[in-house]
Amino acid sequence: MHLYYLSFFVVLIGGISCTSDYYAQMYPPEDDYGYAQAFFSASTANCAPECNCPANYPTAMYCDELKLKSIPYIPAGIKYLYLQNNLIESIEDNVFDNVTDLQWLILDHNHLSNAKISKNAFSKLKHLVKLHINYNNLTESVGPLPKTLIDLQMTHNKITKISPSLLDGLVNLTIVDLHHNALKDDSIPGVFKGLKSLEHLDLSFNELTKVPLGIPASLQILYLDNNKISSIPSDYFQGFQNLKYFRLSHNKLADAGVPGNVFNISSLLELDLSFNELNSIPTVSEGLENLYLQVNKINKFTITSFCKVIGPLEYSRIKHLRLDGNNITQAEVPQEIHNCLRQATEIDLV
């Protein structure tokens, strides 16, 4: 096996490509509902005059990038409503009365604030599965929310708290994305506990100093990067049997805050601990495929972090390993690396 010293961008792209199939399943492309074709086909009669409802996707209404300051009249029969990139500041209580079977509601890049969103604006949407309110002026979570919701995104806001009861009963909720907010440890106590279907939780770019507790065992993706977390409880991952992707980069992790076996998680495929203050390589599962440890303070390459025993069937499944930006040179890498990391295609030390 050869050690390839690749540029930052090449290795990074290789590292994240493994998750692309998962995201393709979780996030349907925009043009599933005719977004690309919307501007090339005649609008149906059953449509707000300022918006576009393409004939080939008559249940979708596109009102994006129109400088709207309020939500227009929504005709009955619309199920997919795109209102992103406008100047909308408020949502009135009765604005969705005509479309209680709405399924997708996209409100990204507007001027919405909690004070101008009616308390029951969303609860009457009994078929809603996707609610996106990214890039607005929210300071707390919106709700109550319909029990049918699957995908909830409120990123790039100013959210400092989430009501403990906000997500109660949302048994279908699979995706919760709250990155780029101002959440602290006491903002989310037990909020996610009852979400039996939750698979994707993104709390990156917040102000957390501890890993969140009460996370359901169904979780597959947990992103906590760009916070202020300095330690992880030794039993934190014991209930996670499905966790595949975990990111804790750009935090304050040091060896003292990482119990010896905490990252030895059999289900884990990708672990990102880059840009922290680690002095040693933590022990990981032999099934791990992608490990990112660049820009720490690691000064020794320990084979036992990857392989307790090396044999015909005992070896690490690591494919991508980044250790650049540490204090390890090629000369210090033990010869056993070739047998232990026999499936690796990229190992970056420089």
Side-chain angles (χ1 to χ4, degrees), residues 8 21 48 83 125 166 202 224 229 240 252 254-255 262 299 302:
F8 174 85
D21 289 342
L83 291 163
L125 299 175
L166 173 74
D202 191 343
L224 299 173
I229 298 168
F240 292 95
K252 297 184 177 181
D255 285 13
V262 70
N299 51 36
T302 48

Side-chain angles (χ1 to χ4, degrees), residues 20-221:
S20 61
D21 289 342
Y22 183 87
Y23 285 116
Q25 298 171 30
M26 301 297 284
Y27 296 98
E30 287 276 355
D31 59 2
D32 270 6
Y33 293 96
Y35 189 82
Q37 296 96 327
F39 300 100
F40 301 100
S41 60
S43 186
T44 63
N46 190 34
C47 190
E50 61 267 67
C51 303
N52 187 25
C53 305
N56 49 339
Y57 293 96
T59 59
M61 188 164 88
Y62 299 95
C63 308
D64 50 307
E65 299 186 13
L66 295 176
K67 298 182 179 179
L68 299 176
K69 293 186 177 181
S70 60
I71 296 176
Y73 170 75
I74 311 167
I78 297 300
K79 294 183 179 180
Y80 308 97
L81 180 58
Y82 297 86
L83 291 163
Q84 69 269 29
N85 296 299
N86 280 294
L87 306 173
I88 299 170
E89 297 182 352
S90 64
I91 302 178
E92 303 299 331
D93 187 50
N94 59 353
V95 70
F96 300 122
D97 284 356
N98 211 33
V99 284
T100 55
D101 57 348
L102 195 67
Q103 294 183 21
W104 285 25
L105 178 55
I106 312 300
L107 288 160
D108 299 345
H109 291 280
N110 277 287
H111 297 168
L112 291 168
S113 62
N114 293 89
K116 294 186 177 182
I117 298 178
S118 171
K119 182 179 179 181
N120 296 311
F122 306 114
S123 60
K124 64 186 66 178
L125 299 175
K126 301 302 184 182
H127 299 273
L128 193 68
V129 296
K130 184 188 294 285
L131 176 61
H132 290 188
I133 318 180
N134 303 308
Y135 292 93
N136 277 277
N137 298 318
L138 303 180
T139 54
E140 57 184 294
S141 52
V142 298
L145 299 169
K147 308 299 184 186
T148 51
L149 203 62
I150 292 176
D151 179 355
L152 175 62
Q153 298 188 25
M154 294 183 288
T155 74
H156 293 273
N157 279 282
K158 304 169 186 176
I159 298 173
T160 59
K161 63 179 180 178
I162 299 177
S163 168
S165 61
L166 173 74
L167 306 179
D168 284 356
L170 301 187
V171 295
N172 298 305
L173 196 58
T174 303
I175 301 167
V176 175
D177 201 341
L178 292 164
H179 67 77
H180 285 90
N181 277 290
L183 292 170
K184 297 183 178 180
D185 300 323
D186 58 357
S187 305
I188 51 174
V191 169
F192 311 108
K193 194 173 183 179
L195 302 179
K196 305 299 184 183
S197 300
L198 189 64
E199 296 180 1
H200 175 118
L201 177 60
D202 191 343
L203 296 172
S204 58
F205 290 92
N206 275 283
E207 299 176 16
L208 303 177
T209 61
K210 301 176 182 177
V211 290
L213 302 177
I215 305 297
S218 57
L219 205 66
Q220 296 184 26
I221 295 177

